[in-house]
């Protein structure tokens, strides 16, 4: 019997909720409520299991793409279970990324894949660090293998690359190729020995080069008993393919598997989930038109398309209530033009032709009214816009609009992080409230910065300046001591003034030892400042501060992770910050295990690079809470990070032919290096050679570079589609002439889709949408 | 088997924990001593020496003139090999004039290193992701387990290969390489008279137990046997017991029904149970009734339900009805937290609450599936905050991780400048801070910045007077003492001599870091003993500095690590015990209150899994078949059951179960222990 209709569901969503078993594909256009549907469906299945499987460890497994999505889904499911169904919120299911799932699997049977139970996982950054060390240490040997690809004009008389290349560009390129090559091989479960045993290898210099680095890299991991993220996935697959009984146990455990963002599924994920479901109860949700993680990965929207074609049940969530009609029209126009008329025929397959439909009357989440929806494309064929001018335009627009719309959410979407940092700088300089969704959030960086301040001081305890920093940036900022002392001083301005004076007194302290470890002979604090006469409580606060710092100093002889944990407990009382610090502790412990000669000073610098955004660090804001845009505050985000989110007003920046190339002759491509001959994309060529080894096939130089252009251009079209569909009511698109606008041959032009959509808007171009 | 063939007598006593078995056995010992049996003819055999406290107490009370021998199997084997060494040397290829060297695990690791390195360089271990140190320990583990099961290395290799099946071709290569390294190592050891645990057992069983001279000696000296904790012995230990039995006037064998916690070390409880057949009397001790007893019964019921093969066929309603119970669970308290740190804080608060109720500290035990550094220090900091004495038991902690041992190693570098090790300033400051009392880290940095030049220490006297005053003259005096000692000490002596003198003449003296610190003193004793073992294995030394340098390097790399120190002396200490759950079970110290941390962690269920070795496959009774996942889960379920019951039976009043929803690493946790509790809770009848 069909379940009663839930008024919250649209008809197609209701149809999905009727699922009983077997394979089901749900294709969902942006804003069609796919996460909502998935969470309800998962909760329904968990409820079913809880009734019949009381004595078994049966679970519903939900796999998604990012850590933030894991968390968001988990909370949504927990809420539904608890509020709608009265069940325990976190029992009977698990939500995982592919890596998280792989970790669960390997963790259960590590010896199956040659690991001890205490195996260590290197995070992306640390494994990159290991690889960088290897490529740098072997630069001469590795570099020689690449000389044949350097354009002649960049070789010196001895046939070696010119100094500039040797110093900077080549090491970077070697590292990038190595990184891609190793990832590709791991994604295809090829070991260095598999490659080395190929007879073809001697004919394929890039593959030979990659194999050598791969072998060195794996040996380095092996000596440390460590694996990287990519190893985890292939090992998990190895474990379940090697031991059928283990696989069967997991199949019994995970009665239902739901997969979100299935368009980003990689070959290994497809394989792993295929095995775990035994092609049985497998539900895949996604939108191939939002596949934006395919370049240089084995992710391919075709996996989802094939699954859809063969699924027992197919559901299409076509109605989108997110955006106003004009924005939906624009997104549909981009798709229709690409599919029907893109000048490069191969790119016409960038999209599956699936147009968005607005909601029907009476929908629980209707589209914003047409009258409140606006689209503007800043494009004049006769005028060019520099990067600074683009920011000026953005700034003026925001300054004019924000005061009148304090209740609206706004985003500035950029194609790359680096552009985002410029935007943030500019907004902050003009006092426009903003927050970022770039590599790490500002909150994460603030916490990391706090820890950096402390570790810096602890590594050089005689440095009064650093101690003063601890007082200001840690003790005062996080109100570690008695906050009343500061409140009694007065308003914020008065407090800051007093703080500056105490900090100055600390800076001038000539005997820090007496401040932190007063002896019986010198019991008094060795500081003098009129501020203490004015506010005697501050002396008491300072003594309290000294107690804490000396306590931390005493702990500084412990391993760094323990030190961080001890400090954390003193400073942070918010679980999110505490958990974030714990992650930091683990990170630094691993870093020190790899760099055994590093001490607190070097480890502190590692934190500095995170706090200054030079290095990515997964913060708890990504792990614990999903991002919710705040009205009146501008979110600055990459378009990749914006996926799954929406704002009332959205600006899309840098829509030029560098960030969004169309594979036209004048387009430049980020992976084609200026010093490499014949416009070869060496990363793509290296992977093509690896593929030739894998398939024992013929390799033709140059084909992969051409294909890479196509793949990249197709993905950027979809990225633009994702960007457009983030807007609810207002969308503004801008472009610029690029960083090298002063060099004529390097200047960028408006992206072709920008021109087309601009013409569509002003009526000079007709796009027929089927 | 020995010639003497007496009729069977003897008693087999089995029962769960806390049923008074060991006390009965100790009383039996007391009765023997009371009835004029000569004490030295009694052997008390235990799997670990610290498990013999009840027998020590009886002997202490009775004060016999000739004391019974309380020993482990390997301890006895060592003693006998030493005594009968000339006989052994006739049978093996070794230097008859050389005394045997009994190698600790550390020393075995050291000797194994070059053999493993050879195969590592050939890339034969490339398909396993294990550090060199772990590789060595796993190969040694294989040798020990094979010896305990009386398997040859070839047989062990054959078993491992068969158990692996045809899943992955390179694993066979790895096992073969490991076996070859082990064989080469053993040949080397025999040639040089170095006897590690496996060789001790092998030589003892293969040669001495068949040797008439030895049998005669044994018969003349031993007539009574008490063997306790049979379930924690390996099969070879059981063989030894079986060998002794016909020669005994009487014997008592004690078996813990739910034990077997040392399976990962080669214990074979099922094999041990077979010894019951050699006993005339079979007694079963009943467990004492405690608040947690009903829950123990219920857990067994849940396991029985789960073992029902037809389970899936039962319809839902019948299933629910079958599960309903009315077990009183009031002695089991569940305390949930979202984050790990919150959980630890709540645990500390609970201890504080118990303290406020005047519960003696030693009646509280905290256990976790494993005790990593951060948990240890968080707990220690918390206990310090609440002013609660605590003892953290971590038997496998490496020596070099202890700050004071690190400082001593830094001293070695300073004493031997020819090593040319450039120590960072911060390490010198930390060393001085740790070793010189009343020297805080700020002053230590101030001092180091001035006196540490060109990798050596200069005199305090060169420091300007005002700065001397800042550092304090008392500290300056101690520093000078330390500096002078390091500069003037005789370096061309074995490392253990050097360390002993450093400790005795300086560091244990008033004003220095080891003064009054018994725990650290124990670590130092371990270091010295390890150094002694190490250097005794090196023949014809000309330059001790080189040997000491090698010792230093191996300690730093973790190739040489500590042995678990003797717990015995801590039994009476009035402190809250913090221990990994498994180690707690092996300590066998029942308490009134237990606090279990991190119940959601799946590590409660998982075994220590290592790619080169396997505790079950290398057990004597393992059929020569593939180790399947079903076997894996079955053994893990069974192991978890034993752990839970073992813990609960060692808890006299209440158990507090702490659950952190999110693990230390940020994942939600739903390990099998938690799921079991969930099932217990869901069984409660409404």
């Amino acid at each position: 019997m069909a379940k009663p209709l839930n008024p919250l569901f649209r008809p197609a969503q209701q149809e999905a909720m009727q699922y009983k078993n077997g394979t089901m594909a749900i294709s969902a256009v942006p804003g069609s409520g796919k996460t909502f549907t998935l969470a309800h469906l998962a909760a329904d299945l968990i409820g079913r299991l809880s009734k019949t499987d009381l004595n078994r460890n049966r679970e519903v497994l939900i796999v998604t793409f990012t850590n933030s999505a894991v968390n968001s889904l988990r909370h949504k499911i927990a809420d539904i279970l608890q509020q709608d169904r009265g069940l325990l919120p976190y029992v009977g299911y698990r939500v995982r990324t592919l890596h998280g799932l792989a970790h669960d699997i390997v963790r259960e049977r590590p010896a199956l894949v040659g690991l001890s139970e205490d195996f260590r996982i290197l995070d992306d950054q640390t494994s990159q660090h290991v690889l960088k060390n290897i490529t740098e240490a072997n630069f001469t040997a590795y570099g020689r293998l690449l000389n044949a690809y350097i354009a002649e004009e960049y070789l010196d008389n001895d046939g070696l690359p010119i100094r500039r290349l040797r110093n900077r560009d080549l090491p970077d390129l070697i590292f990038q190729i190595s990184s891609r090559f190793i990832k590709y091989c791991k994604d295809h479960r090829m070991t260095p020995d598999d490659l080395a045993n190929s007879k073809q290898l001697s004919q394929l210099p890039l593959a030979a080069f990659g194999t050598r680095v791969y072998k060195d890299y794996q040996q380095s991991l092996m000596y440390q008993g460590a694996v990287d993220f990519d190893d985890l996935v292939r090992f998990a697959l190895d474990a379940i393919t090697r031991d059928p009984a283990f696989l069967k146990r997991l199949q019994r455990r995970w009665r239902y598997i739901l997969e979100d963002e299935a368009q980003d599924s990689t070959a290994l994920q497809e394989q792993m989930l295929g095995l775990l479901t035994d092609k049985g109860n497998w539900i895949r949700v996604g939108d191939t038109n939002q596949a934006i993680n395919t370049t240089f990965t084995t992710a391919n929207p075709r996996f989802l398309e094939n699954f859809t074609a063969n699924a027992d049940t197919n559901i299409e969530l076509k109605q989108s209530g997110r955006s106003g009609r004009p924005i939906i029209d624009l997104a549909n126009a981009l798709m229709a033009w690409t599919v029907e008329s893109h000048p490069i025929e191969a790119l016409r397959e960038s999209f599956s032709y699936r147009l968005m439909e607005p909601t029907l009357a009476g929908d629980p989440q209707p589209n914003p009214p047409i009258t409140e929806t606006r689209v503007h494309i800043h494009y004049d064929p006769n005028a060019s816009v520099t990067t600074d001018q683009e920011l000026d335009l953005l700034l003026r627009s925001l300054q004019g609009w924000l005061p009148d719309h304090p209740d609206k959410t706004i985003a500035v979407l950029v194609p790359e992080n680096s552009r985002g940092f410029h935007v943030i700088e500019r907004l902050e300089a003009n006092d426009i409230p903003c927050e970022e969704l770039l590599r790490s959030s500002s909150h994460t960086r603030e916490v990391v910065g706090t820890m950096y301040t402390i570790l810096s001081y602890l590594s050089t305890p005689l440095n009064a300046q650093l101690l003063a920093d601890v007082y200001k940036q840690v003790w005062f900022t996080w109100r570690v001591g008695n906050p009343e002392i500061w409140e009694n001083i007065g308003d914020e301005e008065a407090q800051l003034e007093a703080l500056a004076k105490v900090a100055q007194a600390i800076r001038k302290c000539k005997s820090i030892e007496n401040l932190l470890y007063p002896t019986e002979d010198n019991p008094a604090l060795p500081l003098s400042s009129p501020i203490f006469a004015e506010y005697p409580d501050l002396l008491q606060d300072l003594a309290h501060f000294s107690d804490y710092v000396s306590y931390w100093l005493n702990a500084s002889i412990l391993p760094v992770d323990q030190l961080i944990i001890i400090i954390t407990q003193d400073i942070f009382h918010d679980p999110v910050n505490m958990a974030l610090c714990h992650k930091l502790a683990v990170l630094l412990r691993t870093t020190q295990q790899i760099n055994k000669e590093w001490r607190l000073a070097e480890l502190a610098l590692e934190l500095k690079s995170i706090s200054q955004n030079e290095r990515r660090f997964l913060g708890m804001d990504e792990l614990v809470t999903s991002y919710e845009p705040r009205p009146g505050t501008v979110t600055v985000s990459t378009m990749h990070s914006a996926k799954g989110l929406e704002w009332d007003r959205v600006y899309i920046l840098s829509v030029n032919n560098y960030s969004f190339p169309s594979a036209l002759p004048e387009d430049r491509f980020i992976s084609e290096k200026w010093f490499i001959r014949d416009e070869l994309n060496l990363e793509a060529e290296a992977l093509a050679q690896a593929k030739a080894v894998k398939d024992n096939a013929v390799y033709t130089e140059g084909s992969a570079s051409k294909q890479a252009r196509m793949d990249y251009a197709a993905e950027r079209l979809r990225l633009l589609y994702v960007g457009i569909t983030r807007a609810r009511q207002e969308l503004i698109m801008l472009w610029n002439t690029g960083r090298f606008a002063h060099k004529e041959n390097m200047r960028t032009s408006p992206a072709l889709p920008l021109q087309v959509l601009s013409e569509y808007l002003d009526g000079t171009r007709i796009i027929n949408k089927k | 088997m020995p010639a003497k063939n007496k009729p069977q007598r003897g008693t087999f006593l089995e029962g769960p924990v806390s049923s008074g078995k060991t006390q009965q056995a100790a009383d039996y010992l007391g009765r023997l001593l009371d009835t004029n049996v000569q004490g030295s003819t009694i052997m008390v055999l235990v799997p670990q020496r610290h498990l013999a406290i009840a027998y020590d107490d009886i002997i202490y009370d009775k004060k016999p003139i000739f004391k019974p021998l309380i020993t482990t199997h390997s301890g006895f084997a060592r003693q006998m090999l030493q005594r009968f060494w000339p006989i052994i040397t006739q049978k093996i290829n070794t230097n008859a004039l050389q005394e045997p060297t009994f190698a600790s695990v550390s020393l075995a690791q050291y000797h194994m290193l070059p053999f493993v390195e050879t195969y590592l360089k050939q890339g034969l271990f490339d398909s396993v992701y294990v550090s060199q140190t772990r590789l060595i320990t796993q190969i040694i583990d294989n040798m020990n387990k094979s010896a305990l099961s009386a398997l040859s290395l070839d047989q062990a290799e054959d078993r491992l290969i068969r158990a692996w099946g045809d899943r992955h071709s390179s694993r066979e290569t790895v096992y073969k390489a490991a076996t070859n390294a082990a064989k080469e190592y053993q040949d080397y050891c025999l040639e040089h008279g170095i006897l590690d645990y496996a060789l001790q057992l092998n030589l003892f069983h293969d040669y001495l137990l068949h040797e008439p001279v030895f049998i005669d000696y044994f018969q003349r000296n031993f007539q009574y046997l008490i063997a306790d904790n049979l379930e924690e012995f390996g099969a070879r230990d059981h063989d030894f017991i079986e060998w002794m039995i016909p020669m005994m006037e009487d014997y008592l064998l004690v078996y813990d029904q739910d034990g077997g916690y040392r399976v990962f070390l080669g214990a074979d409880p099922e094999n041990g149970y077979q010894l019951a057949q050699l006993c005339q009397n079979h007694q079963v001790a009943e467990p004492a009734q405690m608040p947690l007893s009903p829950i123990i019964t219920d857990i067994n019921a849940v396991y029985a339900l789960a073992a029902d093969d037809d389970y899936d066929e039962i319809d839902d309603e019948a299933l629910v009805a079958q599960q309903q119970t009315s077990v009183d669970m009031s002695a089991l308290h569940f305390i949930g937290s979202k984050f790990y740190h919150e959980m630890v804080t709540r645990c500390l608060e609970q201890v504080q609450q118990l303290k406020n109720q005047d519960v003696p500290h030693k009646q509280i035990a905290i256990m976790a599936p494993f005790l990593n550094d951060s948990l240890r220090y968080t707990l220690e900091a918390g206990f310090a905050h609440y002013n609660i004495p605590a003892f953290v038991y971590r038997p496998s902690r490496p020596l070099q991780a202890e700050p004071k041992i690190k400082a001593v190693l830094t001293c070695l570098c300073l004493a031997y400048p020819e090593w040319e090790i450039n120590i960072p300033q911060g390490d010198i400051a930390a060393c001085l801070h740790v070793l010189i009392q009343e020297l805080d880290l700020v002053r230590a940095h101030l001092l180091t910045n001035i006196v540490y030049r060109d990798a050596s220490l200069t005199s305090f006297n060169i420091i300007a007077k005002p700065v001397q005053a800042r550092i304090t003259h008392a500290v300056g005096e101690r520093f000078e003492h330390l500096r002078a000692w390091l500069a003037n000490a005789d370096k061309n002596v074995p490392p253990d001599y050097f360390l002993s003198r450093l400790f005795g003449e300086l560091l244990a003296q008033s004003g220095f870091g080891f003064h009054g610190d018994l725990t650290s003193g124990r670590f130092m004793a371990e270091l010295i003993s390890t150094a002694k073992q190490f250097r005794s294995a090196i023949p014809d030394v000309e330059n001790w500095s080189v040997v000491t340098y090698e010792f230093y390097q191996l300690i730093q790399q973790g190739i040489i690590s500590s042995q678990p120190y003797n717990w015995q002396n801590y039994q009476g200490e009035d402190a809250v015990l913090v221990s990994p759950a498994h180690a707690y079970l092996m300590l066998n110290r029942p308490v009134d209150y237990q606090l279990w941390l991190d119940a959601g962690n799946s590590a409660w269920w998982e075994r220590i899994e290592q790619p080169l070795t396997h505790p079950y496959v290398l057990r004597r009774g393992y059929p020569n078949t593939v180790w399947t996942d079903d076997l894996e889960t079955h053994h893990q379920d069974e192991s978890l059951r034993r752990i839970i019951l073992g813990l609960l039976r060692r808890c006299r009043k209440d158990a507090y179960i702490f659950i952190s929803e999110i693990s230390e690493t940020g994942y939600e946790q739903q390990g099998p222990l938690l799921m079991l509790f969930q099932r217990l809770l869901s069984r409660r009848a409404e």
Side-chain angles (χ1 to χ4, degrees), chain B residues 371 393-401 561-565 580 583 608:
Chain B
L371 195 53
Y393 179 58
R394 293 209 304 172
S396 54
R397 181 167 172 75
L399 264 184
Q400 72 276 16
S561 57
S562 71
Q563 299 301 296
Y565 52 77
I608 299 172

Side-chain angles (χ1 to χ4, degrees), chain A residues 258-330:
Chain A
L258 283 69
E259 188 187 0
D260 195 12
E261 306 289 3
Q263 73 282 351
D264 289 322
S265 198
T266 60
L268 292 189
Q269 177 162 330
E270 166 99 355
Q271 240 176 310
M272 195 187 306
L273 298 189
L275 283 167
L276 289 174
T277 55
D278 197 18
K279 312 280 186 206
N281 299 334
W282 188 3
I283 300 162
R284 308 186 78 179
V285 185
D287 179 7
T288 50
N289 294 329
Q290 295 185 71
I292 53 175
N293 294 291
T294 54
T295 306
F296 290 133
T297 69
T298 58
N300 195 330
R302 284 201 210 294
F303 297 139
L304 181 59
E305 283 167 9
N306 294 341
F307 178 87
T308 306
N310 297 308
D312 300 333
T313 312
N314 260 301
I315 307 285
E316 282 197 41
L317 305 182
K318 285 191 273 192
Q319 292 165 1
S320 172
R322 176 184 291 159
S323 311
R325 187 70 190 260
I327 296 170
I328 290 182
D329 278 348
L330 192 80

Side-chain angles (χ1 to χ4, degrees), chain A residues 133-154:
Chain A
N133 282 347
I134 289 172
T135 53
E136 279 171 10
N138 297 296
F139 171 70
T140 314
Y142 294 160
R144 202 178 302 127
L145 295 169
L146 292 186
N147 281 354
Y149 290 95
I150 310 277
E152 254 180 49
E153 60 267 39
Y154 300 113

Side-chain angles (χ1 to χ4, degrees), chain B residues 597-637:
Chain B
L597 278 175
D598 211 8
N601 196 319
S602 56
W604 284 93
W605 181 82
E606 288 156 359
R607 72 180 167 90
I608 299 172
E609 206 170 339
Q610 299 176 322
L612 263 70
T613 184
H614 202 295
Y616 295 104
V617 169
L618 294 182
R619 258 158 71 165
R620 177 176 292 171
Y622 182 76
N624 223 350
T625 55
V626 175
W627 177 257
T628 63
D629 190 70
D630 289 343
L631 286 171
E632 178 76 30
T633 40
H634 169 74
H635 278 90
Q636 288 321 102
D637 285 345

Side-chain angles (χ1 to χ4, degrees), chain A residues 497-564:
Chain A
E497 199 178 323
L499 174 69
K501 287 178 180 164
V502 179
Q504 191 184 19
I506 295 173
R507 265 198 303 277
K508 287 183 176 170
C509 177
K510 298 282 185 230
S511 54
I512 292 206
E513 66 281 3
N514 283 336
L515 176 62
L516 299 183
Y517 298 95
T519 59
E520 284 175 8
D521 302 341
N522 294 299
L525 290 176
L527 297 183
S528 63
S529 167
I531 192 73
F532 297 123
E534 199 177 338
Y535 301 109
D537 281 355
L538 284 179
L539 264 184
Q540 185 198 327
D541 184 60
L542 196 60
H544 196 189
F545 167 72
S546 301
D547 286 346
Y548 269 79
V549 176
S550 55
Y551 174 67
W552 297 336
L553 255 176
N554 292 343
S556 69
I557 58 167
L558 302 176
V560 67
D561 54 327
Q562 295 146 26
L563 172 64
I564 289 185

